[in-house]
PDB file of all heavy atoms in Angstrom:
ATOM      1  N   GLU B   1      -0.754   6.067  12.030  1.00 88.00           N
ATOM      2  CA  GLU B   1      -0.676   7.383  12.481  1.00 88.00           C
ATOM      3  C   GLU B   1      -0.228   8.348  11.584  1.00 88.00           C
ATOM      4  O   GLU B   1      -0.603   9.583  11.516  1.00 88.00           O
ATOM      5  CB  GLU B   1       0.298   7.444  13.688  1.00 88.00           C
ATOM      6  CG  GLU B   1      -0.186   6.684  14.947  1.00 88.00           C
ATOM      7  CD  GLU B   1       0.693   6.813  16.201  1.00 88.00           C
ATOM      8  OE1 GLU B   1       2.008   6.893  15.958  1.00 88.00           O
ATOM      9  OE2 GLU B   1       0.206   6.874  17.378  1.00 88.00           O
ATOM     10  N   ASN B   2       0.755   7.895  10.648  1.00 90.00           N
ATOM     11  CA  ASN B   2       1.340   8.792   9.610  1.00 90.00           C
ATOM     12  C   ASN B   2       1.052   8.246   8.276  1.00 90.00           C
ATOM     13  O   ASN B   2       1.877   7.429   7.790  1.00 90.00           O
ATOM     14  CB  ASN B   2       2.698   8.949   9.835  1.00 90.00           C
ATOM     15  CG  ASN B   2       3.174   9.710  11.154  1.00 90.00           C
ATOM     16  OD1 ASN B   2       2.644  10.815  11.416  1.00 90.00           O
ATOM     17  ND2 ASN B   2       4.015   9.083  11.884  1.00 90.00           N
ATOM     18  N   PRO B   3      -0.145   8.455   7.654  1.00 91.00           N
ATOM     19  CA  PRO B   3      -0.658   7.777   6.303  1.00 91.00           C
ATOM     20  C   PRO B   3       0.443   8.106   5.202  1.00 91.00           C
ATOM     21  O   PRO B   3       0.910   9.152   5.101  1.00 91.00           O
ATOM     22  CB  PRO B   3      -1.868   8.434   6.097  1.00 91.00           C
ATOM     23  CG  PRO B   3      -2.404   8.986   7.416  1.00 91.00           C
ATOM     24  CD  PRO B   3      -1.186   9.373   8.005  1.00 91.00           C
ATOM     25  N   CYS B   4       0.632   7.108   4.418  1.00 92.00           N
ATOM     26  CA  CYS B   4       1.479   7.201   3.278  1.00 92.00           C
ATOM     27  C   CYS B   4       0.796   8.240   2.305  1.00 92.00           C
ATOM     28  O   CYS B   4      -0.369   7.986   1.938  1.00 92.00           O
ATOM     29  CB  CYS B   4       1.730   5.876   2.662  1.00 92.00           C
ATOM     30  SG  CYS B   4       2.514   5.824   1.029  1.00 92.00           S
ATOM     31  N   SER B   5       1.605   9.102   1.868  1.00 90.00           N
ATOM     32  CA  SER B   5       0.931  10.067   0.857  1.00 90.00           C
ATOM     33  C   SER B   5       0.555   9.336  -0.529  1.00 90.00           C
ATOM     34  O   SER B   5      -0.382   9.875  -1.219  1.00 90.00           O
ATOM     35  CB  SER B   5       1.848  11.182   0.653  1.00 90.00           C
ATOM     36  OG  SER B   5       3.177  10.697   0.086  1.00 90.00           O
ATOM     37  N   LYS B   6       1.275   8.310  -0.919  1.00 91.00           N
ATOM     38  CA  LYS B   6       1.016   7.801  -2.170  1.00 91.00           C
ATOM     39  C   LYS B   6      -0.214   6.876  -2.294  1.00 91.00           C
ATOM     40  O   LYS B   6      -0.987   6.936  -3.176  1.00 91.00           O
ATOM     41  CB  LYS B   6       2.167   6.857  -2.696  1.00 91.00           C
ATOM     42  CG  LYS B   6       2.139   6.370  -4.019  1.00 91.00           C
ATOM     43  CD  LYS B   6       3.483   5.641  -4.511  1.00 91.00           C
ATOM     44  CE  LYS B   6       3.354   5.198  -5.944  1.00 91.00           C
ATOM     45  NZ  LYS B   6       4.654   4.599  -6.306  1.00 91.00           N
ATOM     46  N   CYS B   7      -0.381   6.171  -1.282  1.00 91.00           N
ATOM     47  CA  CYS B   7      -1.637   5.217  -1.215  1.00 91.00           C
ATOM     48  C   CYS B   7      -2.750   5.767  -0.187  1.00 91.00           C
ATOM     49  O   CYS B   7      -3.704   5.101  -0.084  1.00 91.00           O
ATOM     50  CB  CYS B   7      -1.200   3.814  -0.754  1.00 91.00           C
ATOM     51  SG  CYS B   7      -0.641   3.674   0.929  1.00 91.00           S
ATOM     52  N   ARG B   8      -2.364   6.981   0.455  1.00 89.00           N
ATOM     53  CA  ARG B   8      -3.342   7.616   1.343  1.00 89.00           C
ATOM     54  C   ARG B   8      -3.748   6.594   2.490  1.00 89.00           C
ATOM     55  O   ARG B   8      -4.913   6.541   2.928  1.00 89.00           O
ATOM     56  CB  ARG B   8      -4.696   8.075   0.535  1.00 89.00           C
ATOM     57  CG  ARG B   8      -4.360   9.068  -0.504  1.00 89.00           C
ATOM     58  CD  ARG B   8      -5.685   9.424  -1.150  1.00 89.00           C
ATOM     59  NE  ARG B   8      -5.333  10.393  -2.219  1.00 89.00           N
ATOM     60  CZ  ARG B   8      -6.304  10.975  -3.066  1.00 89.00           C
ATOM     61  NH1 ARG B   8      -7.525  10.662  -2.900  1.00 89.00           N
ATOM     62  NH2 ARG B   8      -5.857  11.766  -3.942  1.00 89.00           N
ATOM     63  N   GLY B   9      -2.690   5.774   2.933  1.00 87.00           N
ATOM     64  CA  GLY B   9      -2.915   5.075   4.040  1.00 87.00           C
ATOM     65  C   GLY B   9      -3.419   3.706   3.933  1.00 87.00           C
ATOM     66  O   GLY B   9      -3.688   2.980   4.755  1.00 87.00           O
ATOM     67  N   LYS B  10      -3.779   3.349   2.644  1.00 87.00           N
ATOM     68  CA  LYS B  10      -4.599   2.226   2.269  1.00 87.00           C
ATOM     69  C   LYS B  10      -3.586   0.931   2.082  1.00 87.00           C
ATOM     70  O   LYS B  10      -3.950  -0.285   2.297  1.00 87.00           O
ATOM     71  CB  LYS B  10      -5.313   2.264   0.979  1.00 87.00           C
ATOM     72  CG  LYS B  10      -6.515   3.284   1.103  1.00 87.00           C
ATOM     73  CD  LYS B  10      -7.262   3.234  -0.182  1.00 87.00           C
ATOM     74  CE  LYS B  10      -8.627   4.206  -0.073  1.00 87.00           C
ATOM     75  NZ  LYS B  10      -9.360   4.217  -1.438  1.00 87.00           N
ATOM     76  N   GLY B  11      -2.314   1.224   1.899  1.00 89.00           N
ATOM     77  CA  GLY B  11      -1.248   0.164   1.721  1.00 89.00           C
ATOM     78  C   GLY B  11      -1.428  -0.505   0.274  1.00 89.00           C
ATOM     79  O   GLY B  11      -0.497  -1.358   0.046  1.00 89.00           O
ATOM     80  N   LYS B  12      -2.506  -0.083  -0.536  1.00 91.00           N
ATOM     81  CA  LYS B  12      -2.564  -0.712  -1.860  1.00 91.00           C
ATOM     82  C   LYS B  12      -2.709   0.460  -2.819  1.00 91.00           C
ATOM     83  O   LYS B  12      -3.253   1.457  -2.646  1.00 91.00           O
ATOM     84  CB  LYS B  12      -3.693  -1.569  -1.874  1.00 91.00           C
ATOM     85  CG  LYS B  12      -3.705  -2.701  -0.822  1.00 91.00           C
ATOM     86  CD  LYS B  12      -2.903  -3.824  -1.242  1.00 91.00           C
ATOM     87  CE  LYS B  12      -2.776  -4.973  -0.246  1.00 91.00           C
ATOM     88  NZ  LYS B  12      -1.831  -5.989  -0.488  1.00 91.00           N
ATOM     89  N   ILE B  13      -2.326   0.190  -4.072  1.00 92.00           N
ATOM     90  CA  ILE B  13      -2.555   1.073  -5.137  1.00 92.00           C
ATOM     91  C   ILE B  13      -2.947   0.254  -6.408  1.00 92.00           C
ATOM     92  O   ILE B  13      -2.526  -0.888  -6.540  1.00 92.00           O
ATOM     93  CB  ILE B  13      -1.273   1.971  -5.566  1.00 92.00           C
ATOM     94  CG1 ILE B  13      -0.046   1.076  -5.775  1.00 92.00           C
ATOM     95  CG2 ILE B  13      -0.911   2.892  -4.557  1.00 92.00           C
ATOM     96  CD1 ILE B  13       1.185   1.782  -6.358  1.00 92.00           C
ATOM     97  N   LYS B  14      -3.740   0.866  -7.352  1.00 92.00           N
ATOM     98  CA  LYS B  14      -4.130   0.196  -8.527  1.00 92.00           C
ATOM     99  C   LYS B  14      -3.236   0.681  -9.658  1.00 92.00           C
ATOM    100  O   LYS B  14      -2.985   1.940 -10.009  1.00 92.00           O
ATOM    101  CB  LYS B  14      -5.524   0.554  -8.837  1.00 92.00           C
ATOM    102  CG  LYS B  14      -6.239  -0.397  -9.840  1.00 92.00           C
ATOM    103  CD  LYS B  14      -7.670  -0.239  -9.847  1.00 92.00           C
ATOM    104  CE  LYS B  14      -8.378  -1.402 -10.626  1.00 92.00           C
ATOM    105  NZ  LYS B  14      -9.796  -1.103 -10.643  1.00 92.00           N
ATOM    106  N   ARG B  15      -2.560  -0.389 -10.329  1.00 92.00           N
ATOM    107  CA  ARG B  15      -1.458  -0.110 -11.247  1.00 92.00           C
ATOM    108  C   ARG B  15      -1.659  -0.878 -12.545  1.00 92.00           C
ATOM    109  O   ARG B  15      -2.173  -2.000 -12.468  1.00 92.00           O
ATOM    110  CB  ARG B  15      -0.224  -0.455 -10.746  1.00 92.00           C
ATOM    111  CG  ARG B  15       1.031  -0.144 -11.578  1.00 92.00           C
ATOM    112  CD  ARG B  15       2.357  -0.662 -11.056  1.00 92.00           C
ATOM    113  NE  ARG B  15       2.876   0.339  -9.841  1.00 92.00           N
ATOM    114  CZ  ARG B  15       3.055  -0.124  -8.673  1.00 92.00           C
ATOM    115  NH1 ARG B  15       2.929  -1.318  -8.306  1.00 92.00           N
ATOM    116  NH2 ARG B  15       3.421   0.878  -7.847  1.00 92.00           N
ATOM    117  N   ALA B  16      -1.544  -0.190 -13.569  1.00 94.00           N
ATOM    118  CA  ALA B  16      -1.578  -0.775 -14.957  1.00 94.00           C
ATOM    119  C   ALA B  16      -0.313  -1.662 -15.196  1.00 94.00           C
ATOM    120  O   ALA B  16       0.857  -1.126 -14.993  1.00 94.00           O
ATOM    121  CB  ALA B  16      -1.741   0.184 -16.146  1.00 94.00           C
ATOM    122  N   CYS B  17      -0.375  -2.786 -15.591  1.00 94.00           N
ATOM    123  CA  CYS B  17       0.784  -3.667 -16.020  1.00 94.00           C
ATOM    124  C   CYS B  17       0.454  -4.616 -17.022  1.00 94.00           C
ATOM    125  O   CYS B  17      -0.712  -4.922 -17.411  1.00 94.00           O
ATOM    126  CB  CYS B  17       1.236  -4.555 -14.690  1.00 94.00           C
ATOM    127  SG  CYS B  17      -0.039  -5.602 -14.103  1.00 94.00           S
ATOM    128  N   THR B  18       1.496  -5.144 -17.755  1.00 95.00           N
ATOM    129  CA  THR B  18       1.438  -6.033 -18.869  1.00 95.00           C
ATOM    130  C   THR B  18       1.855  -7.308 -18.364  1.00 95.00           C
ATOM    131  O   THR B  18       3.028  -7.498 -17.880  1.00 95.00           O
ATOM    132  CB  THR B  18       2.248  -5.467 -20.044  1.00 95.00           C
ATOM    133  OG1 THR B  18       1.734  -4.202 -20.445  1.00 95.00           O
ATOM    134  CG2 THR B  18       2.043  -6.424 -21.306  1.00 95.00           C
ATOM    135  N   VAL B  19       1.031  -8.384 -18.672  1.00 95.00           N
ATOM    136  CA  VAL B  19       1.504  -9.693 -18.313  1.00 95.00           C
ATOM    137  C   VAL B  19       1.374 -10.651 -19.607  1.00 95.00           C
ATOM    138  O   VAL B  19       0.615 -10.378 -20.526  1.00 95.00           O
ATOM    139  CB  VAL B  19       0.547 -10.312 -17.224  1.00 95.00           C
ATOM    140  CG1 VAL B  19       0.593  -9.590 -15.968  1.00 95.00           C
ATOM    141  CG2 VAL B  19      -0.887 -10.357 -17.745  1.00 95.00           C
ATOM    142  N   GLU B  20       2.416 -11.668 -19.598  1.00 96.00           N
ATOM    143  CA  GLU B  20       2.205 -12.467 -20.835  1.00 96.00           C
ATOM    144  C   GLU B  20       1.542 -13.866 -20.344  1.00 96.00           C
ATOM    145  O   GLU B  20       1.831 -14.388 -19.233  1.00 96.00           O
ATOM    146  CB  GLU B  20       3.665 -12.838 -21.221  1.00 96.00           C
ATOM    147  CG  GLU B  20       3.739 -13.741 -22.470  1.00 96.00           C
ATOM    148  CD  GLU B  20       5.157 -13.920 -23.030  1.00 96.00           C
ATOM    149  OE1 GLU B  20       5.898 -14.636 -22.279  1.00 96.00           O
ATOM    150  OE2 GLU B  20       5.437 -13.362 -23.986  1.00 96.00           O
ATOM    151  N   ILE B  21       0.621 -14.347 -21.150  1.00 96.00           N
ATOM    152  CA  ILE B  21      -0.192 -15.458 -20.748  1.00 96.00           C
ATOM    153  C   ILE B  21      -0.155 -16.465 -21.946  1.00 96.00           C
ATOM    154  O   ILE B  21       0.044 -16.082 -23.139  1.00 96.00           O
ATOM    155  CB  ILE B  21      -1.561 -15.142 -20.447  1.00 96.00           C
ATOM    156  CG1 ILE B  21      -2.225 -14.446 -21.611  1.00 96.00           C
ATOM    157  CG2 ILE B  21      -1.736 -14.482 -19.199  1.00 96.00           C
ATOM    158  CD1 ILE B  21      -3.739 -14.077 -21.456  1.00 96.00           C
ATOM    159  N   ASN B  22      -0.182 -17.747 -21.544  1.00 96.00           N
ATOM    160  CA  ASN B  22      -0.224 -18.835 -22.655  1.00 96.00           C
ATOM    161  C   ASN B  22      -1.658 -19.385 -22.762  1.00 96.00           C
ATOM    162  O   ASN B  22      -2.236 -19.926 -21.769  1.00 96.00           O
ATOM    163  CB  ASN B  22       0.678 -19.979 -22.183  1.00 96.00           C
ATOM    164  CG  ASN B  22       2.247 -19.695 -22.355  1.00 96.00           C
ATOM    165  OD1 ASN B  22       2.576 -19.092 -23.403  1.00 96.00           O
ATOM    166  ND2 ASN B  22       2.945 -19.988 -21.373  1.00 96.00           N
ATOM    167  N   ILE B  23      -2.286 -19.161 -23.962  1.00 96.00           N
ATOM    168  CA  ILE B  23      -3.564 -19.690 -24.124  1.00 96.00           C
ATOM    169  C   ILE B  23      -3.342 -21.024 -24.797  1.00 96.00           C
ATOM    170  O   ILE B  23      -2.816 -21.199 -25.709  1.00 96.00           O
ATOM    171  CB  ILE B  23      -4.288 -18.812 -25.247  1.00 96.00           C
ATOM    172  CG1 ILE B  23      -4.355 -17.394 -24.542  1.00 96.00           C
ATOM    173  CG2 ILE B  23      -5.762 -19.361 -25.417  1.00 96.00           C
ATOM    174  CD1 ILE B  23      -5.295 -17.301 -23.302  1.00 96.00           C
ATOM    175  N   PRO B  24      -4.000 -22.033 -24.101  1.00 95.00           N
ATOM    176  CA  PRO B  24      -3.806 -23.503 -24.592  1.00 95.00           C
ATOM    177  C   PRO B  24      -4.567 -23.784 -25.996  1.00 95.00           C
ATOM    178  O   PRO B  24      -5.585 -23.125 -26.472  1.00 95.00           O
ATOM    179  CB  PRO B  24      -4.391 -24.378 -23.597  1.00 95.00           C
ATOM    180  CG  PRO B  24      -5.514 -23.387 -22.886  1.00 95.00           C
ATOM    181  CD  PRO B  24      -4.901 -22.068 -22.996  1.00 95.00           C
ATOM    182  N   ALA B  25      -3.949 -24.639 -26.789  1.00 96.00           N
ATOM    183  CA  ALA B  25      -4.568 -25.079 -28.152  1.00 96.00           C
ATOM    184  C   ALA B  25      -5.941 -25.614 -27.861  1.00 96.00           C
ATOM    185  O   ALA B  25      -6.150 -26.546 -26.931  1.00 96.00           O
ATOM    186  CB  ALA B  25      -3.627 -26.000 -28.854  1.00 96.00           C
ATOM    187  N   GLY B  26      -6.885 -25.318 -28.798  1.00 95.00           N
ATOM    188  CA  GLY B  26      -8.328 -25.971 -28.613  1.00 95.00           C
ATOM    189  C   GLY B  26      -9.248 -25.144 -27.859  1.00 95.00           C
ATOM    190  O   GLY B  26     -10.387 -25.553 -27.639  1.00 95.00           O
ATOM    191  N   ILE B  27      -8.803 -23.964 -27.338  1.00 95.00           N
ATOM    192  CA  ILE B  27      -9.708 -23.256 -26.582  1.00 95.00           C
ATOM    193  C   ILE B  27     -10.901 -22.698 -27.503  1.00 95.00           C
ATOM    194  O   ILE B  27     -10.655 -22.502 -28.714  1.00 95.00           O
ATOM    195  CB  ILE B  27      -9.087 -21.923 -25.953  1.00 95.00           C
ATOM    196  CG1 ILE B  27      -9.840 -21.233 -24.833  1.00 95.00           C
ATOM    197  CG2 ILE B  27      -8.642 -20.915 -26.976  1.00 95.00           C
ATOM    198  CD1 ILE B  27      -9.629 -22.019 -23.507  1.00 95.00           C
ATOM    199  N   ASP B  28     -12.035 -22.436 -26.855  1.00 94.00           N
ATOM    200  CA  ASP B  28     -13.200 -21.990 -27.624  1.00 94.00           C
ATOM    201  C   ASP B  28     -13.854 -20.850 -27.006  1.00 94.00           C
ATOM    202  O   ASP B  28     -13.673 -20.426 -25.841  1.00 94.00           O
ATOM    203  CB  ASP B  28     -14.186 -23.195 -27.717  1.00 94.00           C
ATOM    204  CG  ASP B  28     -15.176 -23.037 -29.089  1.00 94.00           C
ATOM    205  OD1 ASP B  28     -15.113 -22.024 -29.658  1.00 94.00           O
ATOM    206  OD2 ASP B  28     -15.885 -23.999 -29.244  1.00 94.00           O
ATOM    207  N   THR B  29     -14.847 -20.226 -27.780  1.00 93.00           N
ATOM    208  CA  THR B  29     -15.598 -19.049 -27.224  1.00 93.00           C
ATOM    209  C   THR B  29     -16.183 -19.304 -25.830  1.00 93.00           C
ATOM    210  O   THR B  29     -16.865 -20.359 -25.585  1.00 93.00           O
ATOM    211  CB  THR B  29     -16.566 -18.587 -28.339  1.00 93.00           C
ATOM    212  OG1 THR B  29     -15.852 -18.034 -29.404  1.00 93.00           O
ATOM    213  CG2 THR B  29     -17.429 -17.423 -27.707  1.00 93.00           C
ATOM    214  N   ASN B  30     -16.090 -18.324 -24.984  1.00 91.00           N
ATOM    215  CA  ASN B  30     -16.634 -18.331 -23.567  1.00 91.00           C
ATOM    216  C   ASN B  30     -16.025 -19.425 -22.603  1.00 91.00           C
ATOM    217  O   ASN B  30     -16.449 -19.508 -21.489  1.00 91.00           O
ATOM    218  CB  ASN B  30     -18.207 -18.601 -23.715  1.00 91.00           C
ATOM    219  CG  ASN B  30     -19.059 -17.516 -24.239  1.00 91.00           C
ATOM    220  OD1 ASN B  30     -18.587 -16.241 -24.162  1.00 91.00           O
ATOM    221  ND2 ASN B  30     -20.085 -17.601 -24.861  1.00 91.00           N
ATOM    222  N   GLU B  31     -14.886 -19.887 -23.111  1.00 93.00           N
ATOM    223  CA  GLU B  31     -14.161 -20.704 -22.084  1.00 93.00           C
ATOM    224  C   GLU B  31     -13.251 -19.867 -21.361  1.00 93.00           C
ATOM    225  O   GLU B  31     -12.633 -18.909 -21.917  1.00 93.00           O
ATOM    226  CB  GLU B  31     -13.419 -21.939 -22.825  1.00 93.00           C
ATOM    227  CG  GLU B  31     -14.370 -23.013 -23.389  1.00 93.00           C
ATOM    228  CD  GLU B  31     -13.625 -24.132 -23.978  1.00 93.00           C
ATOM    229  OE1 GLU B  31     -12.373 -23.984 -24.287  1.00 93.00           O
ATOM    230  OE2 GLU B  31     -14.269 -25.112 -24.015  1.00 93.00           O
TER     231      GLU B  31
END
């Protein structure tokens, strides 16, 4: 009934964030 002004009632927003990942040894192109 009262949509959120930040997400315009969708409940979701797209946000940029930085994540740290561990790439395993032996990985190859297109894997």
Side-chain angles (χ1 to χ4, degrees):
E1 289 187 328
N2 299 307
C4 169
S5 58
K6 187 172 184 178
C7 66
R8 299 180 181 178
K10 294 181 178 179
K12 303 287 182 185
I13 55 174
K14 200 166 190 177
R15 178 181 287 124
C17 59
T18 301
V19 295
E20 187 175 71
I21 57 175
N22 285 317
I23 302 296
I27 197 77
D28 204 354
T29 292
N30 289 331
E31 290 185 341

